[in-house]
């Protein structure tokens, strides 16, 4: 794969790449408190997947055009607040939040929703829930119809905006991904239900980041960067209370004396991409492994 990326980047630098549009997507960092600090839910993508094979990722996926219809079944900060956080229009913000809720349910069995009387959803393990989850995955059921049929409200207040990463322009498959945080709701539990994953696990955030640094857990830099930031917090409440100013991260290659370096646009101009996953200033990560 590294050789493939090297050739893709070389073609991009030669101006031979037909840049494809990035698809809007949402990814949710699902957290719970553990004995040593926050723990994170990770899925390992099957090695046969076209995008990010074998990588450890958070639940997430592309926006469904019908996700915009979820505004009629909403509780919590309005779409305008999410639009401000992610610097997008309210319609797209609605779709991103809805996609975050939908994909979390599809890939973990956890539903960030409440009944219309305000009582939280606490158990989604029944056969009827499973039928609906599979229908959402298949696309035969829209999130808005699912919520309406069950008299549920999407709980936007259970999410927090965290990051925004865009797949580099040299990639054949590109996603414009907004990352959210969510704490595992009381009474719910994750299940091994993701068809795109061959393994799911809860890991202490610090352990997961250390695994990335050691090379034992393969993941994209977007995933690792999130873990690095989360590792500074003692518990989930601290993480969820942290304000974030979000700006998009789009890696681009630059030639420096015949060597290819990778940078992104920081507040003060171009900065090394590797700095986003470095705990102590090391520069030994794969700078192209980002989403």
């Amino acid at each position: 794969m590294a050789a493939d990326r090297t050739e893709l980047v070389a073609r991009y630098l030669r101006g031979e790449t037909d840049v494809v549009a990035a698809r809007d997507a949402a990814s949710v960092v699902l957290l719970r408190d553990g004995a040593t600090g926050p723990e994170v839910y990770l899925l390992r993508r099957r090695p046969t997947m076209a995008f990010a094979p074998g990588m450890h990722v958070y639940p997430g996926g592309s926006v469904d055009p019908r996700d915009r219809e979820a505004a009629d079944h909403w509780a919590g900060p309005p779409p305008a607040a999410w639009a401000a956080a992610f610097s997008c229009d309210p319609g797209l913000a609605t779709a991103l939040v809805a996609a975050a809720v939908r994909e979390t349910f599809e890939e973990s069995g956890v539903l960030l929703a409440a009944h219309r009387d305000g009582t939280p959803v606490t158990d989604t393990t029944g056969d009827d829930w499973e039928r609906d989850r599979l229908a959402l995955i298949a696309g035969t059921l829209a999130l808005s119809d699912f919520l309406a049929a069950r008299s549920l409200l999407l709980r936007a207040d259970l999410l927090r905006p965290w990051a925004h990463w865009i797949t580099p322009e040299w990639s054949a498959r590109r996603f414009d991904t907004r990352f959210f945080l969510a704490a595992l709701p009381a009474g719910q539990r994750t299940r091994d239900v993701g068809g795109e994953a061959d393994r799911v696990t809860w890991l202490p955030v610090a352990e997961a980041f250390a695994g990335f640094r050691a090379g034992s857990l393969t993941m994209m830099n977007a995933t690792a960067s999130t873990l690095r930031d989360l590792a500074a917090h003692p518990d989930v409440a601290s993480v969820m209370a942290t304000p974030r100013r979000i700006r998009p991260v789009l890696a681009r290659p630059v030639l420096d004396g015949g060597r290819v370096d990778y940078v992104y646009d920081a507040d003060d101009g171009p900065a090394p991409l590797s700095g986003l996953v470095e705990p102590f200033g090391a520069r030994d990560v794969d700078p192209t492994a980002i989403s």
Side-chain angles (χ1 to χ4, degrees):
M1 287 181 59
D4 291 342
R5 285 196 298 269
T6 299
E7 176 57 25
L8 286 171
V9 172
R11 290 181 57 196
Y12 179 78
L13 288 170
R14 294 195 298 265
E16 299 173 359
T17 301
D18 292 326
V19 177
V20 300
R23 299 169 60 184
D24 290 308
S27 187
V28 177
V29 186
L30 194 59
L31 299 167
R32 71 182 184 187
D33 283 317
T36 59
E39 296 181 345
V40 63
Y41 185 69
L42 292 170
L43 305 89
R44 187 176 66 187
R45 289 174 63 81
R46 296 184 184 277
T48 55
M49 299 300 295
F51 182 79
M55 294 286 184
H56 290 78
V57 300
Y58 311 120
S62 298
V63 166
D64 181 326
R66 298 172 297 176
D67 286 334
R68 292 175 179 257
E69 302 167 5
D72 293 333
H73 313 279
W74 193 283
W82 295 97
F86 286 121
S87 301
C88 65
D89 65 81
L92 177 55
T94 299
L96 290 167
V97 172
V101 171
R102 176 178 53 75
E103 290 284 347
T104 301
F105 182 49
E106 289 179 8
E107 297 193 348
S108 73
V110 171
L111 183 59
L112 305 174
H115 300 281
R116 286 195 171 270
D117 63 4
T119 58
V121 173
T122 57
D123 183 13
T124 63
T125 59
D127 290 343
D128 56 333
W129 289 104
E130 183 64 6
R131 283 192 297 271
D132 285 347
R133 190 188 67 82
L134 293 174
L136 286 167
I137 292 175
T140 58
L141 179 65
L143 179 66
S144 57
D145 293 335
F146 164 69
L147 296 171
R150 289 183 171 273
S151 297
L152 296 176
L153 296 174
L154 170 158
R155 288 282 304 275
D157 59 311
L158 297 181
L159 292 162
R160 298 290 185 275
W162 190 256
H164 181 185
W165 287 67
I166 306 171
T167 312
E169 292 183 339
W170 65 76
S171 179
R173 290 179 174 83
R174 303 185 61 229
F175 297 90
D176 190 342
T177 306
R178 281 74 164 188
F179 287 79
F180 298 79
L181 304 183
L184 180 67
Q188 294 197 47
R189 59 184 177 87
T190 55
R191 295 180 283 134
D192 186 357
V193 295
E196 297 181 353
D198 62 7
R199 179 173 181 260
V200 298
T201 187
W202 282 95
L203 285 176
V205 167
E207 180 181 329
F209 183 59
F212 164 76
R213 296 293 302 176
S216 59
L217 289 180
T218 55
M219 61 184 67
M220 295 173 287
N221 284 345
T223 309
S225 179
T226 298
L227 292 174
R228 189 224 20 203
D229 293 349
L230 295 176
H233 295 271
D235 51 38
V236 175
S238 170
V239 174
M240 298 293 282
T242 301
R244 295 279 286 188
R245 185 175 70 86
I246 298 168
R247 63 178 300 151
V249 177
L250 173 62
R252 52 187 175 86
V254 293
L255 284 172
D256 182 9
R259 186 186 68 180
V260 177
D261 289 332
Y262 298 87
V263 301
Y264 72 100
D265 291 325
D267 287 337
D268 299 325
L273 181 69
S274 57
L276 294 177
V277 292
E278 290 174 355
F280 304 113
R283 296 283 179 92
D284 56 356
V285 300
D286 179 352
T288 67
I290 85 165
S291 66

